[in-house]
Structure formats: C-alpha cells, structure tokens
C-alpha cells in the first residue's frame, strides 16, 4: 500500500487566508487596524480589538474552517461591547463612557475621584487606555 503523507500548510498561506477573511467581511474590514494575527505551525494567535461581540464570534467561527489552522488562541482579542457591559457596573451616575478599540473616554459630570475611577477602569480586560473628557 501507498504511504500516507501528511503535509502541513504553510503559515504564510494560512495568514493570507485570514487576511482575506478580514478584508472581505465589512465589520472586520473596519476593525482591521486593531487586529493583530500571527501564525506559527498552524497555531493562530489573535490580539487586539473588534467593535462588537457578534463580529468576534463570527471571526472565531470562520477561523476554524481555514485550511491548516490547528488551533486559535483568542485570549487577547477583545470586543468593545463586552468592555462596555463590564464598564456599566463601574461608572457612576452622570458619567458617560465611550469605547473605541479598547480606549475608554469618560465624560459628563465630573466624578469625585477621577483618578480612582480611571484606575478601576484600567483593570478591565481589554482596556488599553482611559481618557478624561471632563470640562473645567
């Protein structure tokens, strides 16, 4: 009988397919600058941010069908809608929070201790930076 030869797909080809997926799905196209993808022996690692949890779920579900992908580590791929939900438990009344790719902008009524609030927000997974937009 013939020997079975298993060939591994080149990481560059896998990365090209993932880049094509990002470029052809409009929500991912918008998120492209905030997504970082690396491939090592078919193991895909994702870092960065997308705007919505739906986009994150779609992206992860499609990656498993890319030929040659053995595993996907999305531990450091965050979505702003999940961050927004976590923030809702921290933000006092009168303060608004806008999130864009992990950057949280606080505005509205100035809280008593903005520094403590900002430090608390920075502890949330996926938050990269906190910006104060309070006047005065």
């Amino acid at each position: 009988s013939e020997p079975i030869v298993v060939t591994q797909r080149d990481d560059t080809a896998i990365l090209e397919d993932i880049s094509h997926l990002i470029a052809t799905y409009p929500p991912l196209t918008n998120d492209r600058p905030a997504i970082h993808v690396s491939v090592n022996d078919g193991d895909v690692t994702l870092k960065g941010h997308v705007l919505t949890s739906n986009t994150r779920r779609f992206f992860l579900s499609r990656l498993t069908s890319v030929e040659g992908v053995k595993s996907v580590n999305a531990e450091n791929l965050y979505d702003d809608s999940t961050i927004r939900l976590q923030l809702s438990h921290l933000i006092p009344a009168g303060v608004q929070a806008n999130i864009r790719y992990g950057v949280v902008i606080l505005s509205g009524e100035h809280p008593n201790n903005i520094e403590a609030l900002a430090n608390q927000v920075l502890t949330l997974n996926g938050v990269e930076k906190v910006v104060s937009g309070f006047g005065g």
Side-chain angles (χ1 to χ4, degrees), residues 39-122:
V39 182
N40 185 18
D41 293 330
D43 298 318
V44 177
T45 301
L46 304 171
K47 295 180 182 178
H49 293 83
V50 294
L51 292 179
T52 70
S53 53
N54 286 342
T55 299
R56 185 179 189 279
R57 276 192 301 275
F58 172 84
F59 187 32
L60 295 177
S61 71
R62 292 298 302 266
L63 285 177
T64 58
S65 65
V66 172
E67 183 184 343
V69 170
K70 294 179 188 173
S71 70
V72 176
N73 178 343
E75 183 177 301
N76 294 310
L77 180 67
Y78 305 100
D79 66 84
D80 288 350
S81 55
T82 299
I83 294 171
R84 184 173 290 105
L85 184 61
Q86 294 171 341
L87 273 173
S88 68
H89 304 289
L90 298 177
I91 302 300
V95 175
Q96 289 87 43
N98 290 305
I99 303 108
R100 189 79 170 169
Y101 300 117
V103 176
V104 176
I105 303 162
L106 301 175
S107 61
E109 294 179 26
H110 199 290
N112 291 336
N113 191 341
I114 183 65
E115 189 173 325
L117 177 58
N119 286 333
Q120 197 173 16
V121 170
L122 280 169

